[in-house]
PDB file of all heavy atoms in Angstrom:
ATOM      1  N   ALA A   1     119.257  79.575  95.896  1.00 96.00           N
ATOM      2  CA  ALA A   1     118.724  79.569  97.151  1.00 96.00           C
ATOM      3  C   ALA A   1     119.658  79.935  98.185  1.00 96.00           C
ATOM      4  O   ALA A   1     119.488  80.518  99.323  1.00 96.00           O
ATOM      5  CB  ALA A   1     118.131  78.123  97.493  1.00 96.00           C
ATOM      6  N   ASP A   2     121.063  79.724  97.933  1.00 94.00           N
ATOM      7  CA  ASP A   2     122.042  80.173  98.858  1.00 94.00           C
ATOM      8  C   ASP A   2     122.516  81.541  98.581  1.00 94.00           C
ATOM      9  O   ASP A   2     123.792  81.850  98.637  1.00 94.00           O
ATOM     10  CB  ASP A   2     123.174  79.109  98.810  1.00 94.00           C
ATOM     11  CG  ASP A   2     123.848  79.068  97.368  1.00 94.00           C
ATOM     12  OD1 ASP A   2     123.399  79.648  96.503  1.00 94.00           O
ATOM     13  OD2 ASP A   2     125.114  78.503  97.413  1.00 94.00           O
ATOM     14  N   LEU A   3     121.663  82.459  98.278  1.00 96.00           N
ATOM     15  CA  LEU A   3     122.051  83.899  98.005  1.00 96.00           C
ATOM     16  C   LEU A   3     122.763  84.506  99.181  1.00 96.00           C
ATOM     17  O   LEU A   3     123.754  85.259  98.938  1.00 96.00           O
ATOM     18  CB  LEU A   3     120.680  84.637  97.723  1.00 96.00           C
ATOM     19  CG  LEU A   3     120.946  86.228  97.628  1.00 96.00           C
ATOM     20  CD1 LEU A   3     121.775  86.600  96.484  1.00 96.00           C
ATOM     21  CD2 LEU A   3     119.479  86.903  97.569  1.00 96.00           C
ATOM     22  N   PHE A   4     122.477  84.007 100.416  1.00 94.00           N
ATOM     23  CA  PHE A   4     123.144  84.740 101.507  1.00 94.00           C
ATOM     24  C   PHE A   4     124.698  84.312 101.503  1.00 94.00           C
ATOM     25  O   PHE A   4     125.525  85.146 101.908  1.00 94.00           O
ATOM     26  CB  PHE A   4     122.576  84.364 102.824  1.00 94.00           C
ATOM     27  CG  PHE A   4     123.017  85.169 104.035  1.00 94.00           C
ATOM     28  CD1 PHE A   4     122.777  86.436 103.996  1.00 94.00           C
ATOM     29  CD2 PHE A   4     123.646  84.611 105.113  1.00 94.00           C
ATOM     30  CE1 PHE A   4     123.161  87.325 105.051  1.00 94.00           C
ATOM     31  CE2 PHE A   4     124.031  85.391 106.130  1.00 94.00           C
ATOM     32  CZ  PHE A   4     123.943  86.690 106.182  1.00 94.00           C
ATOM     33  N   PHE A   5     124.979  83.045 101.131  1.00 91.00           N
ATOM     34  CA  PHE A   5     126.398  82.791 101.050  1.00 91.00           C
ATOM     35  C   PHE A   5     127.156  83.575  99.951  1.00 91.00           C
ATOM     36  O   PHE A   5     128.186  84.051 100.239  1.00 91.00           O
ATOM     37  CB  PHE A   5     126.568  81.259 100.584  1.00 91.00           C
ATOM     38  CG  PHE A   5     127.833  80.919 100.140  1.00 91.00           C
ATOM     39  CD1 PHE A   5     128.883  80.674 101.116  1.00 91.00           C
ATOM     40  CD2 PHE A   5     128.222  80.839  98.862  1.00 91.00           C
ATOM     41  CE1 PHE A   5     130.226  80.425 100.642  1.00 91.00           C
ATOM     42  CE2 PHE A   5     129.516  80.415  98.328  1.00 91.00           C
ATOM     43  CZ  PHE A   5     130.467  80.296  99.263  1.00 91.00           C
ATOM     44  N   HIS A   6     126.493  83.881  98.862  1.00 93.00           N
ATOM     45  CA  HIS A   6     127.113  84.769  97.830  1.00 93.00           C
ATOM     46  C   HIS A   6     127.302  86.182  98.305  1.00 93.00           C
ATOM     47  O   HIS A   6     128.311  86.870  98.080  1.00 93.00           O
ATOM     48  CB  HIS A   6     126.265  84.706  96.549  1.00 93.00           C
ATOM     49  CG  HIS A   6     126.306  83.349  95.913  1.00 93.00           C
ATOM     50  ND1 HIS A   6     127.303  82.866  95.179  1.00 93.00           N
ATOM     51  CD2 HIS A   6     125.316  82.371  95.890  1.00 93.00           C
ATOM     52  CE1 HIS A   6     127.011  81.638  94.775  1.00 93.00           C
ATOM     53  NE2 HIS A   6     125.907  81.335  95.078  1.00 93.00           N
ATOM     54  N   LEU A   7     126.400  86.680  99.156  1.00 95.00           N
ATOM     55  CA  LEU A   7     126.434  87.930  99.777  1.00 95.00           C
ATOM     56  C   LEU A   7     127.532  87.995 100.767  1.00 95.00           C
ATOM     57  O   LEU A   7     128.361  88.954 100.877  1.00 95.00           O
ATOM     58  CB  LEU A   7     125.157  88.354 100.440  1.00 95.00           C
ATOM     59  CG  LEU A   7     124.027  88.813  99.522  1.00 95.00           C
ATOM     60  CD1 LEU A   7     122.621  88.961 100.275  1.00 95.00           C
ATOM     61  CD2 LEU A   7     124.399  90.081  98.901  1.00 95.00           C
ATOM     62  N   ASN A   8     127.760  86.871 101.439  1.00 92.00           N
ATOM     63  CA  ASN A   8     128.895  86.698 102.352  1.00 92.00           C
ATOM     64  C   ASN A   8     130.232  86.947 101.673  1.00 92.00           C
ATOM     65  O   ASN A   8     131.143  87.629 102.045  1.00 92.00           O
ATOM     66  CB  ASN A   8     128.906  85.356 103.101  1.00 92.00           C
ATOM     67  CG  ASN A   8     127.955  85.297 104.286  1.00 92.00           C
ATOM     68  OD1 ASN A   8     127.855  84.276 104.827  1.00 92.00           O
ATOM     69  ND2 ASN A   8     127.324  86.447 104.590  1.00 92.00           N
ATOM     70  N   VAL A   9     130.341  86.264 100.453  1.00 92.00           N
ATOM     71  CA  VAL A   9     131.512  86.366  99.650  1.00 92.00           C
ATOM     72  C   VAL A   9     131.727  87.634  99.118  1.00 92.00           C
ATOM     73  O   VAL A   9     132.948  88.283  99.155  1.00 92.00           O
ATOM     74  CB  VAL A   9     131.466  85.401  98.468  1.00 92.00           C
ATOM     75  CG1 VAL A   9     132.593  85.564  97.580  1.00 92.00           C
ATOM     76  CG2 VAL A   9     131.388  83.824  99.053  1.00 92.00           C
ATOM     77  N   TRP A  10     130.684  88.412  98.664  1.00 95.00           N
ATOM     78  CA  TRP A  10     130.866  89.827  98.304  1.00 95.00           C
ATOM     79  C   TRP A  10     131.275  90.665  99.381  1.00 95.00           C
ATOM     80  O   TRP A  10     132.202  91.495  99.239  1.00 95.00           O
ATOM     81  CB  TRP A  10     129.445  90.317  97.836  1.00 95.00           C
ATOM     82  CG  TRP A  10     129.268  91.774  97.891  1.00 95.00           C
ATOM     83  CD1 TRP A  10     129.829  92.674  97.001  1.00 95.00           C
ATOM     84  CD2 TRP A  10     128.682  92.494  98.905  1.00 95.00           C
ATOM     85  NE1 TRP A  10     129.587  94.072  97.432  1.00 95.00           N
ATOM     86  CE2 TRP A  10     128.879  93.966  98.635  1.00 95.00           C
ATOM     87  CE3 TRP A  10     127.989  92.152 100.117  1.00 95.00           C
ATOM     88  CZ2 TRP A  10     128.353  94.938  99.465  1.00 95.00           C
ATOM     89  CZ3 TRP A  10     127.599  93.205 100.883  1.00 95.00           C
ATOM     90  CH2 TRP A  10     127.745  94.578 100.534  1.00 95.00           C
ATOM     91  N   ALA A  11     130.769  90.523 100.644  1.00 95.00           N
ATOM     92  CA  ALA A  11     131.118  91.316 101.758  1.00 95.00           C
ATOM     93  C   ALA A  11     132.535  91.048 102.141  1.00 95.00           C
ATOM     94  O   ALA A  11     133.355  91.960 102.460  1.00 95.00           O
ATOM     95  CB  ALA A  11     130.235  91.049 103.026  1.00 95.00           C
ATOM     96  N   PHE A  12     133.040  89.804 102.046  1.00 92.00           N
ATOM     97  CA  PHE A  12     134.470  89.412 102.457  1.00 92.00           C
ATOM     98  C   PHE A  12     135.332  90.154 101.510  1.00 92.00           C
ATOM     99  O   PHE A  12     136.400  90.712 101.914  1.00 92.00           O
ATOM    100  CB  PHE A  12     134.610  87.909 102.456  1.00 92.00           C
ATOM    101  CG  PHE A  12     135.829  87.543 103.298  1.00 92.00           C
ATOM    102  CD1 PHE A  12     135.672  87.024 104.569  1.00 92.00           C
ATOM    103  CD2 PHE A  12     137.047  87.489 102.669  1.00 92.00           C
ATOM    104  CE1 PHE A  12     136.796  86.646 105.249  1.00 92.00           C
ATOM    105  CE2 PHE A  12     138.191  86.993 103.375  1.00 92.00           C
ATOM    106  CZ  PHE A  12     138.083  86.589 104.687  1.00 92.00           C
ATOM    107  N   GLU A  13     134.990  90.042 100.201  1.00 93.00           N
ATOM    108  CA  GLU A  13     135.839  90.645  99.154  1.00 93.00           C
ATOM    109  C   GLU A  13     135.978  92.160  99.327  1.00 93.00           C
ATOM    110  O   GLU A  13     137.021  92.711  99.155  1.00 93.00           O
ATOM    111  CB  GLU A  13     135.266  90.218  97.730  1.00 93.00           C
ATOM    112  CG  GLU A  13     136.213  90.810  96.625  1.00 93.00           C
ATOM    113  CD  GLU A  13     137.315  89.934  96.295  1.00 93.00           C
ATOM    114  OE1 GLU A  13     137.430  88.888  96.850  1.00 93.00           O
ATOM    115  OE2 GLU A  13     138.089  90.349  95.328  1.00 93.00           O
ATOM    116  N   SER A  14     134.783  92.812  99.686  1.00 96.00           N
ATOM    117  CA  SER A  14     134.750  94.251  99.901  1.00 96.00           C
ATOM    118  C   SER A  14     135.565  94.624 101.094  1.00 96.00           C
ATOM    119  O   SER A  14     136.326  95.575 100.951  1.00 96.00           O
ATOM    120  CB  SER A  14     133.319  94.700 100.004  1.00 96.00           C
ATOM    121  OG  SER A  14     132.511  94.449  98.902  1.00 96.00           O
ATOM    122  N   ILE A  15     135.465  93.915 102.219  1.00 94.00           N
ATOM    123  CA  ILE A  15     136.183  94.420 103.438  1.00 94.00           C
ATOM    124  C   ILE A  15     137.703  94.044 103.240  1.00 94.00           C
ATOM    125  O   ILE A  15     138.475  94.966 103.725  1.00 94.00           O
ATOM    126  CB  ILE A  15     135.555  93.720 104.655  1.00 94.00           C
ATOM    127  CG1 ILE A  15     134.183  93.975 104.842  1.00 94.00           C
ATOM    128  CG2 ILE A  15     136.274  93.907 105.864  1.00 94.00           C
ATOM    129  CD1 ILE A  15     133.401  93.010 105.674  1.00 94.00           C
ATOM    130  N   ALA A  16     138.027  92.966 102.579  1.00 91.00           N
ATOM    131  CA  ALA A  16     139.408  92.686 102.366  1.00 91.00           C
ATOM    132  C   ALA A  16     140.028  93.758 101.436  1.00 91.00           C
ATOM    133  O   ALA A  16     141.119  94.128 101.626  1.00 91.00           O
ATOM    134  CB  ALA A  16     139.544  91.315 101.644  1.00 91.00           C
ATOM    135  N   ASN A  17     139.326  94.254 100.521  1.00 93.00           N
ATOM    136  CA  ASN A  17     139.822  95.288  99.590  1.00 93.00           C
ATOM    137  C   ASN A  17     140.111  96.539 100.402  1.00 93.00           C
ATOM    138  O   ASN A  17     140.956  97.229  99.997  1.00 93.00           O
ATOM    139  CB  ASN A  17     138.710  95.646  98.501  1.00 93.00           C
ATOM    140  CG  ASN A  17     139.230  96.218  97.269  1.00 93.00           C
ATOM    141  OD1 ASN A  17     140.504  96.228  97.142  1.00 93.00           O
ATOM    142  ND2 ASN A  17     138.446  96.593  96.385  1.00 93.00           N
ATOM    143  N   ILE A  18     139.424  96.818 101.558  1.00 93.00           N
ATOM    144  CA  ILE A  18     139.673  98.045 102.327  1.00 93.00           C
ATOM    145  C   ILE A  18     140.761  97.680 103.401  1.00 93.00           C
ATOM    146  O   ILE A  18     141.715  98.436 103.455  1.00 93.00           O
ATOM    147  CB  ILE A  18     138.424  98.354 103.079  1.00 93.00           C
ATOM    148  CG1 ILE A  18     137.268  98.786 102.089  1.00 93.00           C
ATOM    149  CG2 ILE A  18     138.740  99.510 104.110  1.00 93.00           C
ATOM    150  CD1 ILE A  18     135.918  98.926 102.806  1.00 93.00           C
ATOM    151  N   THR A  19     140.631  96.590 104.145  1.00 92.00           N
ATOM    152  CA  THR A  19     141.533  96.400 105.239  1.00 92.00           C
ATOM    153  C   THR A  19     142.804  95.693 104.873  1.00 92.00           C
ATOM    154  O   THR A  19     143.873  95.808 105.564  1.00 92.00           O
ATOM    155  CB  THR A  19     140.869  95.592 106.369  1.00 92.00           C
ATOM    156  OG1 THR A  19     140.479  94.328 105.767  1.00 92.00           O
ATOM    157  CG2 THR A  19     139.636  96.185 106.856  1.00 92.00           C
ATOM    158  N   ILE A  20     142.893  94.995 103.773  1.00 91.00           N
ATOM    159  CA  ILE A  20     144.098  94.278 103.370  1.00 91.00           C
ATOM    160  C   ILE A  20     144.652  94.862 101.988  1.00 91.00           C
ATOM    161  O   ILE A  20     145.742  94.553 101.624  1.00 91.00           O
ATOM    162  CB  ILE A  20     143.737  92.806 103.164  1.00 91.00           C
ATOM    163  CG1 ILE A  20     143.228  92.188 104.476  1.00 91.00           C
ATOM    164  CG2 ILE A  20     145.065  91.979 102.874  1.00 91.00           C
ATOM    165  CD1 ILE A  20     142.728  90.749 104.366  1.00 91.00           C
ATOM    166  N   ASN A  21     143.888  95.824 101.403  1.00 90.00           N
ATOM    167  CA  ASN A  21     144.317  96.480 100.202  1.00 90.00           C
ATOM    168  C   ASN A  21     144.633  95.662  98.967  1.00 90.00           C
ATOM    169  O   ASN A  21     145.487  95.850  98.283  1.00 90.00           O
ATOM    170  CB  ASN A  21     145.576  97.352 100.499  1.00 90.00           C
ATOM    171  CG  ASN A  21     145.789  98.463  99.516  1.00 90.00           C
ATOM    172  OD1 ASN A  21     144.831  99.091  99.149  1.00 90.00           O
ATOM    173  ND2 ASN A  21     146.986  98.587  98.986  1.00 90.00           N
ATOM    174  N   MET A  22     143.789  94.582  98.831  1.00 88.00           N
ATOM    175  CA  MET A  22     143.908  93.821  97.608  1.00 88.00           C
ATOM    176  C   MET A  22     142.584  92.994  97.377  1.00 88.00           C
ATOM    177  O   MET A  22     141.788  92.765  98.247  1.00 88.00           O
ATOM    178  CB  MET A  22     145.084  92.862  97.754  1.00 88.00           C
ATOM    179  CG  MET A  22     145.012  91.823  98.838  1.00 88.00           C
ATOM    180  SD  MET A  22     146.368  90.794  98.888  1.00 88.00           S
ATOM    181  CE  MET A  22     146.004  89.578 100.127  1.00 88.00           C
ATOM    182  N   ARG A  23     142.365  92.672  96.105  1.00 90.00           N
ATOM    183  CA  ARG A  23     141.287  91.794  95.713  1.00 90.00           C
ATOM    184  C   ARG A  23     141.658  90.438  95.919  1.00 90.00           C
ATOM    185  O   ARG A  23     142.777  89.982  95.526  1.00 90.00           O
ATOM    186  CB  ARG A  23     140.973  92.113  94.219  1.00 90.00           C
ATOM    187  CG  ARG A  23     140.263  93.411  93.883  1.00 90.00           C
ATOM    188  CD  ARG A  23     138.935  93.492  94.485  1.00 90.00           C
ATOM    189  NE  ARG A  23     137.995  92.476  94.011  1.00 90.00           N
ATOM    190  CZ  ARG A  23     137.126  92.632  92.977  1.00 90.00           C
ATOM    191  NH1 ARG A  23     137.133  93.726  92.274  1.00 90.00           N
ATOM    192  NH2 ARG A  23     136.391  91.659  92.661  1.00 90.00           N
ATOM    193  N   LEU A  24     140.907  89.694  96.502  1.00 87.00           N
ATOM    194  CA  LEU A  24     141.140  88.186  96.769  1.00 87.00           C
ATOM    195  C   LEU A  24     140.643  87.298  95.626  1.00 87.00           C
ATOM    196  O   LEU A  24     140.896  86.149  95.531  1.00 87.00           O
ATOM    197  CB  LEU A  24     140.399  87.745  98.088  1.00 87.00           C
ATOM    198  CG  LEU A  24     140.885  88.498  99.290  1.00 87.00           C
ATOM    199  CD1 LEU A  24     140.165  87.957 100.478  1.00 87.00           C
ATOM    200  CD2 LEU A  24     142.379  88.420  99.634  1.00 87.00           C
ATOM    201  N   GLY A  25     139.766  87.845  94.656  1.00 88.00           N
ATOM    202  CA  GLY A  25     139.398  87.063  93.550  1.00 88.00           C
ATOM    203  C   GLY A  25     138.227  86.047  93.900  1.00 88.00           C
ATOM    204  O   GLY A  25     138.037  85.053  93.238  1.00 88.00           O
ATOM    205  N   LEU A  26     137.485  86.317  95.006  1.00 87.00           N
ATOM    206  CA  LEU A  26     136.539  85.404  95.460  1.00 87.00           C
ATOM    207  C   LEU A  26     135.342  85.465  94.516  1.00 87.00           C
ATOM    208  O   LEU A  26     134.479  84.439  94.519  1.00 87.00           O
ATOM    209  CB  LEU A  26     136.097  85.770  96.966  1.00 87.00           C
ATOM    210  CG  LEU A  26     137.133  85.927  97.912  1.00 87.00           C
ATOM    211  CD1 LEU A  26     136.484  86.214  99.297  1.00 87.00           C
ATOM    212  CD2 LEU A  26     137.900  84.622  98.136  1.00 87.00           C
ATOM    213  N   LEU A  27     135.146  86.510  93.710  1.00 88.00           N
ATOM    214  CA  LEU A  27     133.921  86.560  92.811  1.00 88.00           C
ATOM    215  C   LEU A  27     134.304  86.107  91.486  1.00 88.00           C
ATOM    216  O   LEU A  27     133.537  86.138  90.641  1.00 88.00           O
ATOM    217  CB  LEU A  27     133.498  88.116  92.806  1.00 88.00           C
ATOM    218  CG  LEU A  27     132.983  88.684  94.051  1.00 88.00           C
ATOM    219  CD1 LEU A  27     132.641  90.083  93.903  1.00 88.00           C
ATOM    220  CD2 LEU A  27     131.824  87.856  94.664  1.00 88.00           C
ATOM    221  N   ASN A  28     135.522  85.678  91.293  1.00 83.00           N
ATOM    222  CA  ASN A  28     135.919  85.172  90.011  1.00 83.00           C
ATOM    223  C   ASN A  28     135.173  83.974  89.596  1.00 83.00           C
ATOM    224  O   ASN A  28     135.056  82.955  90.415  1.00 83.00           O
ATOM    225  CB  ASN A  28     137.495  84.868  90.036  1.00 83.00           C
ATOM    226  CG  ASN A  28     138.069  84.513  88.652  1.00 83.00           C
ATOM    227  OD1 ASN A  28     137.492  83.729  87.886  1.00 83.00           O
ATOM    228  ND2 ASN A  28     139.184  85.128  88.451  1.00 83.00           N
ATOM    229  N   GLU A  29     134.716  83.859  88.414  1.00 72.00           N
ATOM    230  CA  GLU A  29     133.818  82.757  87.952  1.00 72.00           C
ATOM    231  C   GLU A  29     134.591  81.343  88.058  1.00 72.00           C
ATOM    232  O   GLU A  29     134.065  80.327  88.246  1.00 72.00           O
ATOM    233  CB  GLU A  29     133.381  82.899  86.488  1.00 72.00           C
ATOM    234  CG  GLU A  29     132.375  84.154  86.342  1.00 72.00           C
ATOM    235  CD  GLU A  29     131.001  83.828  86.937  1.00 72.00           C
ATOM    236  OE1 GLU A  29     130.693  82.609  87.202  1.00 72.00           O
ATOM    237  OE2 GLU A  29     130.252  84.767  87.180  1.00 72.00           O
ATOM    238  N   ASN A  30     135.882  81.497  87.925  1.00 69.00           N
ATOM    239  CA  ASN A  30     136.701  80.251  87.904  1.00 69.00           C
ATOM    240  C   ASN A  30     137.227  79.844  89.188  1.00 69.00           C
ATOM    241  O   ASN A  30     138.017  78.801  89.440  1.00 69.00           O
ATOM    242  CB  ASN A  30     137.931  80.429  86.848  1.00 69.00           C
ATOM    243  CG  ASN A  30     137.484  80.675  85.560  1.00 69.00           C
ATOM    244  OD1 ASN A  30     136.587  80.083  84.934  1.00 69.00           O
ATOM    245  ND2 ASN A  30     138.227  81.582  84.829  1.00 69.00           N
ATOM    246  N   ASN A  31     136.891  80.592  90.258  1.00 66.00           N
ATOM    247  CA  ASN A  31     137.352  80.331  91.577  1.00 66.00           C
ATOM    248  C   ASN A  31     136.551  79.301  92.219  1.00 66.00           C
ATOM    249  O   ASN A  31     135.305  79.480  92.629  1.00 66.00           O
ATOM    250  CB  ASN A  31     137.341  81.578  92.450  1.00 66.00           C
ATOM    251  CG  ASN A  31     138.108  81.416  93.789  1.00 66.00           C
ATOM    252  OD1 ASN A  31     138.138  80.372  94.303  1.00 66.00           O
ATOM    253  ND2 ASN A  31     138.667  82.468  94.329  1.00 66.00           N
ATOM    254  N   LYS A  32     137.130  78.030  92.315  1.00 61.00           N
ATOM    255  CA  LYS A  32     136.319  76.919  92.899  1.00 61.00           C
ATOM    256  C   LYS A  32     136.933  76.426  94.301  1.00 61.00           C
ATOM    257  O   LYS A  32     136.780  75.389  94.723  1.00 61.00           O
ATOM    258  CB  LYS A  32     136.371  75.693  91.980  1.00 61.00           C
ATOM    259  CG  LYS A  32     135.951  76.022  90.540  1.00 61.00           C
ATOM    260  CD  LYS A  32     134.526  76.403  90.476  1.00 61.00           C
ATOM    261  CE  LYS A  32     134.033  76.599  88.956  1.00 61.00           C
ATOM    262  NZ  LYS A  32     132.762  77.112  88.859  1.00 61.00           N
ATOM    263  N   ASP A  33     137.600  77.441  94.934  1.00 63.00           N
ATOM    264  CA  ASP A  33     138.276  77.179  96.163  1.00 63.00           C
ATOM    265  C   ASP A  33     137.327  76.722  97.311  1.00 63.00           C
ATOM    266  O   ASP A  33     136.451  77.454  97.729  1.00 63.00           O
ATOM    267  CB  ASP A  33     139.061  78.362  96.573  1.00 63.00           C
ATOM    268  CG  ASP A  33     139.899  78.102  97.757  1.00 63.00           C
ATOM    269  OD1 ASP A  33     139.969  76.932  98.338  1.00 63.00           O
ATOM    270  OD2 ASP A  33     140.781  78.968  98.084  1.00 63.00           O
ATOM    271  N   LYS A  34     137.412  75.515  97.690  1.00 64.00           N
ATOM    272  CA  LYS A  34     136.456  74.998  98.757  1.00 64.00           C
ATOM    273  C   LYS A  34     136.798  75.544 100.115  1.00 64.00           C
ATOM    274  O   LYS A  34     135.858  75.555 101.009  1.00 64.00           O
ATOM    275  CB  LYS A  34     136.648  73.436  98.908  1.00 64.00           C
ATOM    276  CG  LYS A  34     136.147  72.735  97.618  1.00 64.00           C
ATOM    277  CD  LYS A  34     136.266  71.182  97.839  1.00 64.00           C
ATOM    278  CE  LYS A  34     135.758  70.455  96.563  1.00 64.00           C
ATOM    279  NZ  LYS A  34     135.971  68.925  96.749  1.00 64.00           N
ATOM    280  N   ASN A  35     137.887  76.177 100.201  1.00 68.00           N
ATOM    281  CA  ASN A  35     138.265  76.799 101.556  1.00 68.00           C
ATOM    282  C   ASN A  35     137.391  78.121 101.779  1.00 68.00           C
ATOM    283  O   ASN A  35     137.148  78.565 102.826  1.00 68.00           O
ATOM    284  CB  ASN A  35     139.678  77.304 101.494  1.00 68.00           C
ATOM    285  CG  ASN A  35     140.579  76.110 101.670  1.00 68.00           C
ATOM    286  OD1 ASN A  35     140.286  75.081 102.294  1.00 68.00           O
ATOM    287  ND2 ASN A  35     141.803  76.220 100.998  1.00 68.00           N
TER     288      ASN A  35
END
């Protein structure tokens, strides 16, 4: 039901890949970072 949150994470990872030139690992299955 929180699909929009997951889309936010995808967008953040995509934009960071462009503007910061690195993958943040936000889509990693093992990433449980509450931040």
